[in-house]
Amino acid sequence: MTAGRTTAAAPAFDVGQRVRVRAADPPHHTRVPRYVRGHTGVVRVVQHACPLPDDEARRRLPVRVLPVYTVAFAAGGLWAKAPADPRDEVLCDLWECYLENDNNHDNNDQGNS
């Protein structure tokens, strides 16, 4: 562990796994765009672990070092006036603590797989 930072754990999610973005609206800085909160997507890339900006902005110690995921969301599931092409998707890099496993496989909100 580096001074003031935790050691990263192994990633909890795999490429191709469906995940849901937590719908929380914290009273502090967060890197989760509002337009993806509560939506389901598919993990496209598991990136290396990075310090959580929420902790750094709040000067919370130790700063958590968490895996980051590139998650794909179907554009039509995020906005009412989204493009009609079902291949259109939005990619968003999200820290692990923003995500949870999505057990609802019938959700039409997910990214293209």
Side-chain angles (χ1 to χ4, degrees):
M1 178 167 102
T2 307
R5 293 192 175 168
T6 62
T7 303
F13 306 111
D14 297 316
V15 171
Q17 187 171 352
R18 298 177 204 283
V19 292
R20 178 174 298 280
V21 180
R22 295 180 191 277
D25 189 14
H28 55 77
H29 171 80
T30 184
R31 298 291 299 170
V32 182
R34 289 186 194 280
Y35 58 85
V36 298
R37 293 179 191 173
H39 290 277
T40 300
V42 176
V43 174
R44 292 280 192 245
V45 178
V46 178
Q47 301 183 35
H48 62 280
C50 293
L52 181 65
D54 303 43
D55 288 353
E56 291 183 327
R58 295 169 53 210
R59 298 185 180 169
R60 177 182 174 189
L61 294 177
V63 173
R64 291 171 284 176
V65 178
L66 302 172
V68 177
Y69 303 86
T70 300
V71 180
F73 300 90
L78 297 177
W79 298 288
K81 295 182 180 181
D85 190 332
R87 296 173 297 176
D88 290 341
E89 61 184 17
V90 174
L91 299 176
C92 192
D93 292 337
L94 299 165
W95 273 257
E96 189 170 278
C97 65
Y98 303 150
L99 303 171
E100 57 192 13
N101 190 19
D102 178 51
N103 296 321
N104 181 6
H105 297 299
D106 295 329
N107 191 326
N108 293 326
D109 190 33
Q110 64 210 12
N112 303 318
S113 18

